[in-house]
Amino acid sequence: NPYEDAMAEVQQRYEDIAAKQQQANALAVKQGVQRLENQKYGINQAYDDSARQAYIANMQGKKNLPQQLAVNGATGGATETANLGLQTSYENNLTNINTNRANALNDIDNAILELKNNGDLTAAQQALNTSQQALSAYQNMLSNKINYDAISGTNVDYSKIYKGESFEQNITNNNII
């Protein structure tokens, strides 16, 4: 029967289209994820540089502190307080640098998750659209088959087809293809 062959061909074409859409979508998501992952190296490098600069500034401050205190005539407890203030400042700077690094990396991880979720949504929408197109093609083919059967004298009860049976049940129960 020519309609059986045509129906099988139409089904295979829609399956091929769906597979290619899924592959293209998966590749786009993979490329986007890789692009975002590559940004992490630059972020880590920039924050490592900032931490190094904070350390250098701290060490220079410690080196210059005794001279600055001597010029101001500070000794004893004032020296300890100044050293403690310098160390606290350095640790606060380092904490801020690490917090900003963690936030930047978290932003990238969130962007990756969003990209993957959008990719999943796009894939689902594409699959739905392709399924709707396949259903429309199936309905057109079925209409043509009904006309063919009427001309050729074949009698099939097509009333069951639209009563909620699955596609596979329709095909099996009604010997459509």
Side-chain angles (χ1 to χ4, degrees):
N1 183 327
Y3 287 102
E4 292 173 6
D5 295 338
M7 186 72 80
E9 184 178 336
V10 166
Q11 182 177 353
Q12 184 60 49
R13 286 184 183 184
Y14 279 104
E15 288 172 3
D16 291 346
I17 289 169
K20 287 178 183 177
Q21 286 174 333
Q22 294 294 332
Q23 288 172 344
N25 188 55
L27 182 59
V29 168
K30 183 179 177 180
Q31 288 174 339
V33 167
Q34 189 60 48
R35 181 183 47 77
L36 290 167
E37 288 286 348
N38 289 342
Q39 290 178 12
K40 287 182 177 182
Y41 175 78
I43 287 171
N44 281 321
Q45 191 173 28
Y47 285 105
D48 287 345
D49 289 343
S50 294
R52 242 182 258 106
Q53 290 170 4
Y55 175 77
I56 290 169
N58 181 51
M59 295 307 288
Q60 287 174 339
K62 283 182 179 181
K63 179 182 174 186
N64 295 333
L65 185 62
Q67 183 181 7
Q68 290 172 351
L69 291 174
V71 168
N72 293 328
T75 59
T79 304
E80 290 296 320
T81 302
N83 275 327
L84 186 58
L86 191 61
Q87 185 63 30
T88 301
S89 177
Y90 168 67
E91 289 175 5
N92 285 340
N93 286 340
L94 202 55
T95 298
N96 288 337
I97 289 168
N98 287 328
T99 299
N100 290 337
R101 175 200 316 245
N103 288 341
L105 293 174
N106 191 43
D107 288 345
I108 288 179
D109 288 339
N110 287 338
I112 289 171
L113 183 60
E114 183 178 350
L115 179 64
K116 287 179 179 180
N117 288 339
N118 286 340
D120 290 345
L121 178 61
T122 298
Q125 289 170 335
Q126 289 172 337
L128 176 62
N129 185 38
T130 301
S131 294
Q132 288 172 333
Q133 291 173 356
L135 177 60
S136 178
Y138 169 74
Q139 289 171 335
N140 288 337
M141 292 294 293
L142 185 59
S143 177
N144 290 337
K145 175 132 177 67
I146 291 170
N147 290 336
Y148 173 81
D149 289 345
I151 293 170
S152 67
T154 306
N155 292 321
V156 175
D157 184 6
Y158 291 101
S159 64
K160 293 180 183 177
I161 291 174
Y162 296 106
K163 292 191 178 182
E165 293 180 347
S166 72
F167 179 77
E168 292 81 12
Q169 288 171 329
N170 288 329
I171 291 172
T172 304
N173 295 342
N174 295 299
N175 296 319
I176 293 174
I177 54 173

